[in-house]
Amino acid sequence: METALEDVKTRPPAPVHITVLRAHDLKGVKGDSPVTYVRAEFNNILLGDSPKLETTPNEPIEYNFTASFDIGGESPHSLDDMAHRPVLLTVIEILPKEKKQKEEKTSVLGQTAVDLLPLLRGECNFVVTVPLHPLHGSPLETLHPDAKPRLEVAVSVAVPLLTESQINQGNLLRVTMEAAYCVPDSWTPTGPQYNYVASLQIPSRDSTLIFSNGILKTGGESEPVPRQRRWPTSGISAPEAQHIPESFILSGAYEEEDGEMNRKEDKEFRIEAETHKKRVTWDIERRCYLDQSALISLQKRIAECRYWPVEIMRAPMSLAGKSKSGKAEKGDEDTPISFHGVAYINMVPLLYPGVKRLRGAYRVLAYQDAEVLEKTKCHHSVLRDVALQNSLMNKPTAAPPGLNSAYVKPTASRLAKDEKGAKDKEGGRRVSAVLRSSEVADTDSAGIHQTVTPNIEGQQYVDAGTYLLLELTLEKPLVPKRMAEEMALKVKELVPDRPQLGRRTAGAQKAVSDYHSQVTSITSAILDEYCQLFGQQETNVIDVDPHVLEEQKCQLNYELNCSGKYFAFKEQLKHSVVKIVREKYLKTTAFQDRDQLQAFLSELYVYLVDQMHTALNKTLFDEGEEAPPAPMTDTEQLLRFAKEAEMMEDYSLAEMYYQERLARDRQRVDHWLDYGCFKLLVGDYIKAQECFHEALVLNREHSRSLLLCGIAAAITDNNEDAEVFCEDATCVAPDSALAWTILGLFYEMQGNDIRMEMAFSEAGKLHQAALTADKAAAQSDSGISGSGKTLCGEACDNRGTEVSNRTAPTSPRGYPDSGEPSRGSRSPAEKTSRTAPKSAPSVVSKSKAESHRGVDPRDNHDPPASAGSIYMEAAKFLAQVNATQFVPRALSHDLLSPDGGPSCQYHLMCAQGHLLRKEFDAANESLQEASQVDHQNPDVWALTGHLRYLSGRKGEARQSYEHALSLVADASEMHSVYLRLGSIYLQEGEFEKAKNTYLLACKRSPTCLTWLGAGIACYRLEELQEAEDALSEANSLNNSNVEVWGYLTLVCLKSGRQLEAEQSYKYTRKLNLQDQTLMTEIQQLQEMVGFGDPSF
């Protein structure tokens, strides 16, 4: 397929007609009726002059003048020229001739520029009214404010310049060179005048953009915002006509830019530089039309080399006039390039999906050929080529091309074609027939730039801190971004909606309830029949003759059988009885054995009669039934029990708790997510994926569900689905730094470096924005409470240093937290409980009160932003959801991140992973590194205790746990610390310490194991009543724990309660107690007291 540019070149020239229809509110030098005409120019070529017409006051001038130029074929004009060059219209007044005047004099009244960009968007004709901008000294400047000189212009072509397909496949690149700030101090507005030039090469178009005529300013005030961009063409005399209509430079937050100086530490320097320092301003916008082939080349070039050079230099204004025809070839007479610098623009963000704008500040460095070649793969300097072309073309009367106007420089290959066969005028020497890039570089080094190394003038940019501010904007993104609606549809295809299953109404309970209803209905019918036969009986009659009752019964049975009502009552009961057989007894097939049938019928008859009596009692006596007791535990407590079971590696018990939560409420997203994370822990990835899908069905816009679906898909090597889920998470929660970081980690796994950088960059911006918002909120809070703080005086200052609320691994084995919030310091009540623990009954009652309050649902949003890196936050999240395969990847990024590094948190996360894999030596090394960074971090000591506990060094583990408890701040996960320290105390016989430790655990997060430990300690201390209270509480939380029944047996035996002892012993045997030491102790005590085991 031919590209747009090739198509325009090959087809016949297409004329573009520019028609000046009329002018309004013109005023001449000599009066209100001047004789004027319009001159039209395009691309520095005169298109023609209109007829000379005299103006009638208060009426428009009808010029109806048409000028044309061709596009395509051999025409010197191209589509790119139409993109960035306007048609210049100049209104010129013819002054009246004076005496003895031979030639007529003229005066330029004003100029305007007509933008031809609509033609590149498929329009064939359009009419615009453009303001006529006066020149300095023009009479149009003195017009009445209500008078607005203007021209009406019509632009037309016979057929569209571009087809619909070419428009859709093409693009428009806008490059705005704004300013260079903090330029060298040696640059002064006084003295010799210089031209300040910048250049940017566009490889896809095989040409270079030159921005010249920069204005040196001394500073003292910042540039106005918004301000209009300027046309990149020369020859516009009216200052206001240089501005592009409806095109403004807008500023934004430094943190949202894409350049090198967008960090918070650069903000103060940039504010100072853009306000008080010297600067060079251009404010020029250069448009580049890119067809399909140019876009492909552009993307390929960016992918191959991410950095593009932007050169800057200073050149004398009079350098062209000094160039003599006989000295053009001497090296010392060539165009000098001074203050040659370069800035490196990272163009990769333009390959991010959906990105159309790249704006930022880039540091200017001294131009060095080797460095530029290494970073950008550019073999020659653009500005040197311009200077070399000026010397080779030998133009003594004109400035170098591009130095006094925004210019598109041909590449070296085009220069070679233009200069092929050129002869030197003095020496008769012939210029090289083919001027290659390497030859240009050789010529540069041999003649023009012998003193480039070292670049002393360019080094002044570095010393001054000079940076360029520029912007690149595309009309359409190079890589389209999938819309949120498209992502939602793809997710819906992967996880289709499932209709909500209606509640099952045919269960056993419902069948029995229906049977009761039928019995009640039949009872009412029989009572009505009885009343019709024998009349209403007095309810206060106590003594009734039995013979009379028997006669009434026989008569009632006779009437029911004769009338057929008895048969109707049997049919009415039949359906409910069938449902009881199917739902209650699960009998759905015929019996093969007659004896089994008779036995079943007998059992069924007894059950139906009992249920009939129950229904009759409810109907006749109307006794209210007590409501069933509420469950002893809520879903949050069940989650805590499950986490505790995970820590103890009792995965079957943990799964039972997770399934119990789902049985309580299957419509909660967090229940499915927690169960899925547990399945990730045990390696059942398929089941985990099913759980995450169920959560997503409940809430399509739940970002955590989408992320976990993506993680599960990535673990199972389903990368396409993983990308869909993770990308949709960023669409659902675009302000979630965590979602963008997880997406970046996934792209890294796929080797997609460009999109990885895009995701990490977005996450970094969101993280910094969150930190800034948190800091501002903290400052506002401190300002409100400032008056209260001043009343504290020196007493507040002597409280000591504040310990930060650390966030460490979620559990000693890498499991998520138990749901208890991490606290930076203990409350006074907890401090008191450390030294004077409460008795078991009081603690039991308080724990019950706290547990029945319930816990608020966990927040689905990102955790509060911390000062760490985005990768550390991602590592914590991945460890929390048991996606341990991705944690090392996130930690490796954190190690190299400026916000991360080998911090205490990094080493703790590494130690957590080693502990999970039972790599005790590696975990010990990581914990030693963490201790060197922050030896007062309680998580370091807690994890050290877990390491020693798991490796069998209980004495050393006890010391580490005690050290962790002695610190001012708590570890992020204290439950396991209390449990393991308490067990060590029990093993070492320090029962008082064990009791206190377990009671602290009961206060923070009561579970069956914490109350069991407290009960064991109290039993060993002979505190039987407190031991029974604690064990009873443990039994209420988990009545299947065999050790609880065992110790309850011991308590009952010692208390002399035979029945309770036998019942407890029965469940101890039923649940199969495996602790032989405890079983031996029970049997010995039974022999001692003489009861407790009914078998002997």
Side-chain angles (χ1 to χ4, degrees), residues 389 392-393 414-422 431-433 435:
Q389 182 192 17
L392 291 176
M393 297 301 290
R414 292 173 62 184
L415 287 176
K417 294 177 183 179
D418 294 339
E419 293 157 4
K420 185 176 181 180
V431 181
S432 174
L435 186 61

Side-chain angles (χ1 to χ4, degrees), residues 8 186 284 361 399 476 534 569 610 623 665 743 745 753 797 829 890 934 944 1010 1031:
V8 170
S186 59
I284 293 177
K476 295 176 287 187
F534 308 108
F569 291 154
D610 290 341
E623 294 181 356
D665 189 354
L743 180 62
L745 293 174
D753 295 338
D797 298 332
D934 185 4
T944 303
T1010 59
L1031 292 172

Side-chain angles (χ1 to χ4, degrees), residues 204-251:
S204 61
R205 297 183 61 256
D206 201 27
S207 59
T208 300
L209 310 183
I210 303 294
F211 300 88
S212 62
N213 298 327
I215 303 172
L216 178 62
K217 299 181 180 180
T218 57
E221 62 180 11
S222 58
E223 296 295 317
V225 175
R227 60 186 184 275
Q228 282 188 287
R229 296 181 173 95
R230 298 193 298 125
W231 288 106
T233 56
S234 60
I236 302 179
S237 303
E240 292 298 323
Q242 297 177 357
H243 296 150
I244 303 176
E246 304 300 329
S247 180
F248 296 92
I249 295 176
L250 304 175
S251 65

Side-chain angles (χ1 to χ4, degrees), residues 413-430:
S413 60
R414 292 173 62 184
L415 287 176
K417 294 177 183 179
D418 294 339
E419 293 157 4
K420 185 176 181 180
K423 297 182 179 180
D424 184 271
K425 292 184 179 180
E426 288 189 0
R429 294 183 294 111
R430 185 179 298 272

